[in-house]
Amino acid sequence: MLFRKLDESYLDSLPENLADKIDFFGQMIVALGNILTVIGIATEATEVAEVEEDVEEDGENNSSTENPVTDSNIGFVLALLGASLITIGDMVSSGGLALEIQLDALNEKKTKQHNEEQEIRFKNLENRVYYLQRDMSALIQKTESLHNEVVFLRNIIYPHLY
């Protein structure tokens, strides 16, 4: 229970739209990962094209069956780095969405609690108004009966004046 209160107070202290900003940051990381992946694939494709050209040239010149091996793995590394960034960006974006869900749930809970408190206050006010109206009616009846008694006593004491 204590941790839930701490979580709620911590979530309350966060700046506005933080979840949206985290989600946007995650989407930017994903976009950067996509760019690196495309660059890596393009680099790898150009390396493959160069190897194929070398094989064709070697085939015409030497007619040997050697398999040329490239030492450069930069395209693969860039593609792998891009895929890793995409995964990290997706996780950051998911964290932003999870935070937004938590904040929405907390706000909904607070709204519900506030509505319940307002409903209780409203019922208390209705009860007070009811009791005040009842007391007012009783006072009006007492006032009318006292007025009638005053008139009666006045008629008895001063029968000729009125």
Side-chain angles (χ1 to χ4, degrees):
M1 189 67 173
L2 177 63
F3 292 115
R4 182 171 290 166
K5 292 289 184 188
L6 290 175
D7 279 346
E8 289 177 5
S9 65
Y10 175 72
L11 290 175
D12 283 340
S13 68
L14 294 176
E16 236 178 272
N17 298 329
L18 179 67
D20 292 335
K21 291 176 183 176
I22 291 173
D23 183 36
F24 181 69
F25 180 67
Q27 290 174 4
M28 288 185 349
I29 293 173
V30 168
L32 182 64
N34 285 333
I35 291 170
L36 285 178
T37 302
V38 168
I39 291 172
I41 291 171
T43 304
E44 196 66 29
T46 56
E47 288 177 0
V48 168
E50 289 174 1
V51 168
E52 286 177 355
E53 287 177 6
D54 288 344
V55 168
E56 288 176 4
E57 289 175 4
D58 286 345
E60 292 174 0
N61 294 339
N62 295 341
S63 299
S64 66
T65 59
E66 292 180 13
N67 290 333
V69 178
T70 61
D71 293 334
S72 174
N73 288 329
I74 191 76
F76 175 74
V77 170
L78 283 174
L80 186 61
L81 182 63
S84 298
L85 281 177
I86 290 171
T87 303
I88 291 169
D90 282 339
M91 290 188 333
V92 168
S93 182
S94 297
L97 291 175
L99 179 62
E100 186 169 350
I101 290 170
Q102 286 288 342
L103 289 173
D104 286 344
L106 181 63
N107 287 338
E108 184 177 321
K109 180 181 174 184
K110 284 183 177 183
T111 302
K112 183 178 179 182
Q113 183 179 7
H114 179 71
N115 288 342
E116 288 174 357
E117 289 173 0
Q118 293 290 42
E119 187 175 320
I120 290 171
R121 288 180 187 160
F122 186 70
K123 285 182 181 180
N124 285 342
L125 286 175
E126 283 180 339
N127 286 339
R128 286 181 183 176
V129 167
Y130 170 75
Y131 288 124
L132 284 174
Q133 285 176 343
R134 196 177 70 182
D135 290 345
M136 188 177 73
S137 295
L139 284 174
I140 288 173
Q141 287 175 355
K142 298 271 186 201
T143 304
E144 287 177 0
S145 69
L146 285 174
H147 177 63
N148 290 339
E149 278 201 37
V150 166
V151 168
F152 176 74
L153 289 174
R154 201 179 325 157
N155 287 338
I156 290 178
I157 295 174
Y158 304 109
H160 302 295
L161 289 172
Y162 297 102

